[in-house]
Each structure stands twice: as C-alpha cells, then as structure tokens.
Amino acid sequence: MALPALTLSLQFARFDGVTEHRAALPRAFVARCLRRALDGDAELTVRIVDAEEGQALNRDYRGRDYATNVLTFDYAQEPLVMADLVLCAPVVAAEAKQMKKPLAEHYAHLLVHGALHAQGWDHETSEADAEAMEARETEVLAALGQPDPYARSRRPRKPG
C-alpha cells in the first residue's frame, strides 16, 4: 500500500532549547509519522513554538488561556488535507519527562494526533469518538514501531 503524498513545511520558532527539539524532529521522521496517519494526500505545516506563542494561539483561537501540547488548524479535508499543526515545545518536553518517555516518542504521538484532527477525528465530541481516535492513534503508532501511548490508562487496576 502506497502512503499518501505529503507536502510538508517544518518550522521551528526561535526559543531557548530549540536545538533539542530540532534533534528530536528530523524532517524524515516528521514526514513518516504524518504520512502513516493520513488517509489521503496532504499539505501540512508543522510549527514548533515556545510557550508564549502556544498560549497566544490557544487563547486567540480556542478561548483557552494556556499553552497546550498540539493545536490543529484544519482548512480542508477534500480533495486534499490542508492544515497547520502547532506543537508547543516546552509543554511537549514537560509531558515527555513526566511520562518518562523519549521526547521523539511523545512528538510521534502528537504528530499522529494532530494529523488525525486535520482529517476530522475528534476526541472531545463523545466517549465513543475518543475511544475510536485513541484506537486509530495506537494502530498508526504501532505501524511506526512506537509504543501504545494509552497502555497505562488501559491496564486493569488492582483491587485494594
């Protein structure tokens, strides 16, 4: 099965620590993650930003005054997926550290997550939609050789 065609613009804002994020996000890695998550051809911009820019975008476009890990601005789904994915480097790094996972692994998850949003997937509409999106993310990440990011939350809890 041929993967979808992808036109990719990968951008890094200027911020302290950007070198670590550039190292975790080689262009080929980003393209591979996105192409696996896409069901059709796409033109995507991926921008890695600092907390200030991430917070401003989240506040101005979603009405939420904090920096979040990934924002997806989807412009078209047919005949071509067109979207901007904005990843907030300090948030992604803090989450990766908290989850004790490599930065690149967490970026892979968020790139897939953002690409699914660009195609209309939404985890905030219902529990069923959230479960479907998580299952698709897990499937795509497995194809990339990445672990299931939701494995911890699905483990049965011990009584007591």
Side-chain angles (χ1 to χ4, degrees), residues 64-82:
R64 298 176 182 178
D65 196 13
Y66 58 88
T68 190
N69 51 19
V70 60
L71 293 167
T72 302
F73 297 93
D74 58 324
Y75 308 113
Q77 294 174 357
E78 293 291 330
L80 177 73
V81 174
M82 297 175 69

Side-chain angles (χ1 to χ4, degrees), residues 94-108:
E95 289 175 348
K97 184 176 180 178
Q98 181 209 6
M99 293 183 279
K100 296 180 173 79
K101 59 172 35 175
L103 184 59
E105 181 182 312
H106 194 40
Y107 268 124

Side-chain angles (χ1 to χ4, degrees), residues 20-54:
E20 175 188 12
H21 297 273
R22 281 185 186 276
L25 291 166
R27 183 179 181 77
F29 172 78
V30 173
R32 196 167 135 247
C33 291
L34 295 172
R35 290 179 76 208
R36 281 283 179 185
L38 292 167
D39 293 327
D41 297 345
E43 292 180 5
L44 301 176
T45 296
V46 174
R47 181 165 170 80
I48 312 305
V49 302
D50 63 8
E52 184 179 340
E53 185 174 344

Side-chain angles (χ1 to χ4, degrees), residues 152 154-160:
R152 279 189 182 163
R154 287 194 200 109
R155 287 187 191 139
R157 293 194 174 102
K158 293 181 182 178

Side-chain angles (χ1 to χ4, degrees), residues 58-136:
N58 200 25
R59 179 188 61 238
D60 295 350
Y61 292 96
R62 294 179 69 223
R64 298 176 182 178
D65 196 13
Y66 58 88
T68 190
N69 51 19
V70 60
L71 293 167
T72 302
F73 297 93
D74 58 324
Y75 308 113
Q77 294 174 357
E78 293 291 330
L80 177 73
V81 174
M82 297 175 69
D84 295 335
L85 307 182
V86 179
L87 293 101
C88 184
V91 173
V92 175
E95 289 175 348
K97 184 176 180 178
Q98 181 209 6
M99 293 183 279
K100 296 180 173 79
K101 59 172 35 175
L103 184 59
E105 181 182 312
H106 194 40
Y107 268 124
H109 176 207
L110 295 173
L111 288 165
V112 168
H113 185 87
L116 293 179
H117 273 307
Q119 296 172 98
W121 293 78
D122 192 345
H123 54 86
E124 295 182 347
T125 49
S126 71
E127 187 64 31
D129 288 345
E131 289 175 8
M133 187 169 176
E134 286 179 12
R136 179 67 179 137

